[in-house]
Amino acid sequence: MAENDKVKEKGVVPNHVAIIMDGNGRWAKERGLPRVYGHRKGGQRLRQLLKEAKRLKVKSITIFAFSTENWDRPRKEINYLFSYMEGFLSKYKNELMKEEIRLRMIGRRDRIPKTSIKKIEEIESLTKNNKKFFFNIALDFGGRWDITEAARKIIRDYEGKRISRSQITEEVFGSYLSLADTPSPDLLIRTSGEQRVSNFLLWDLAYAEFYFSQVYWPDFDVKQFRGAIKAYSERNRRFGGIGDGKSY
Ligand code: FPP
């Protein structure tokens, strides 16, 4: 396990929180509204919780905004999600700079609408020197894709004689993944009562604490978020050891 994965102890705020923002569609349906209203409300919630996370001294948030499987949704919903995200980033840009937040996208870039990629890359470049908080958006992302992609890159480097067989350790393998330079998530939150990882950060969540909430994402407010952080702080993380601070 990487050294920076071991640092969290009982009673500590998680350094990195991963979030599966689930239940937008059901939230809207229960109110007799089109699904996209749920996404819009979900986006507003996200903005609020990023602020709260930073206030609580969380360092990084990684959200699952669009999975490799989400392409199976109706075209109209997909288009809405990407155009909503572009608008969200445009409006959020100044706040990102003011709050010194760095935005990064993880996931495949070749299938996402060009205007969305252009917007994302503009904001990635604008915020690249910000160091107070790290906001990672997983878009067209899948944990299996990430691991497969890492394997491909390792083979490329092996064939190019830049890496040898014996150099391929867990640590080195991890350095080929999308979140290579970020300590792994300490906490995964999934809303809406579903209790699955759904092909999110398969490698990186190896030692994360999981927190499942019954609440739909648009209703997952600051109070709910604090509840998740509190639950995390009460867990006893042993990393496969016996809880004496040693992992092996
Ligand atoms: C899951 O709910 C939600 C999504 C697949 C999209 C999440 C996107 C947002 C919250 C928009 C904001 C994102 C950014 C980056 C600005 P669901 O549609 O699967 O809900 P359901 O399970 O009830 O159908």
Side-chain angles (χ1 to χ4, degrees):
M1 190 193 335
E3 192 57 37
N4 49 20
D5 285 350
K6 297 181 200 164
V7 295
K8 291 289 140 199
E9 281 167 29
K10 201 179 170 190
V12 179
V13 169
N15 189 38
H16 184 177
V17 180
I19 308 179
I20 303 179
M21 312 177 291
D22 204 3
N24 292 348
R26 278 164 287 165
W27 182 91
K29 194 167 171 227
E30 279 185 8
R31 285 159 181 78
L33 298 167
R35 290 176 57 81
V36 295
Y37 278 73
H39 295 316
R40 195 158 81 192
K41 185 78 185 165
Q44 290 164 1
R45 197 54 88 191
L46 172 65
R47 199 158 161 175
Q48 217 175 35
L49 295 187
L50 284 166
K51 205 167 180 162
E52 178 65 7
K54 187 164 173 264
R55 202 186 67 77
L56 292 173
K57 305 262 183 300
V58 171
K59 264 316 240 186
S60 310
I61 292 265
T62 302
I63 57 156
F64 207 5
F66 197 88
S67 74
T68 46
E69 290 75 30
N70 285 154
W71 293 111
D72 293 335
R73 294 190 175 211
R75 194 69 233 178
K76 218 170 131 193
E77 183 174 341
I78 295 176
N79 290 345
Y80 178 85
L81 274 170
F82 283 107
S83 91
Y84 177 78
M85 195 203 54
E86 285 176 41
F88 176 96
L89 292 180
S90 296
K91 283 196 216 126
Y92 196 32
K93 185 161 101 171
N94 292 340
E95 198 172 322
L96 288 172
M97 289 311 287
K98 191 168 140 255
E99 297 281 328
E100 294 175 65
I101 299 173
R102 178 172 181 181
L103 175 101
R104 263 189 322 177
M105 180 205 142
I106 57 168
R108 280 183 69 161
R109 294 190 182 223
D110 57 327
R111 300 192 292 191
I112 291 176
K114 287 208 166 36
T115 50
S116 301
I117 281 295
K118 199 161 163 252
K119 176 58 68 186
I120 289 162
E121 291 181 350
E122 173 204 325
I123 314 279
E124 280 181 326
S125 157
L126 180 75
T127 63
K128 70 175 190 296
N129 294 320
N130 290 349
K131 292 190 175 68
K132 279 258 166 71
F133 190 87
F134 302 92
F135 173 31
N136 306 313
I137 302 186
L139 274 178
D140 199 3
F141 181 88
R144 288 182 174 175
W145 166 83
D146 199 23
I147 294 169
T148 310
E149 206 46 28
R152 272 197 210 106
K153 287 178 186 156
I154 290 172
I155 289 170
R156 180 201 61 198
D157 285 354
Y158 176 77
E159 288 173 348
K161 305 220 182 309
R162 288 183 291 277
I163 191 167
S164 69
R165 181 193 291 248
S166 64
Q167 279 175 316
I168 306 169
T169 59
E170 284 186 21
E171 197 111 37
V172 169
F173 195 99
S175 74
Y176 281 84
L177 294 165
S178 298
L179 287 181
D181 50 359
T182 310
S184 294
D186 305 289
L187 172 66
L188 169 77
I189 298 174
R190 182 170 190 155
T191 55
S192 89
E194 309 293 349
Q195 303 193 358
R196 294 184 289 275
V197 177
S198 297
N199 197 20
F200 194 19
L201 297 157
L202 298 181
W203 176 285
D204 315 73
L205 291 171
Y207 286 97
E209 293 292 328
F210 285 20
Y211 182 85
F212 298 110
S213 167
Q214 293 300 317
V215 169
Y216 293 145
W217 176 252
D219 286 332
F220 196 78
D221 58 15
V222 164
K223 193 162 161 253
Q224 301 282 338
F225 184 70
R226 285 195 202 129
I229 303 294
K230 182 168 182 291
Y232 169 87
S233 75
E234 288 163 1
R235 303 248 179 112
N236 182 8
R237 302 183 79 193
R238 293 190 293 276
F239 299 103
I242 57 169
D244 60 353
K246 297 194 185 81
S247 322
Y248 297 99

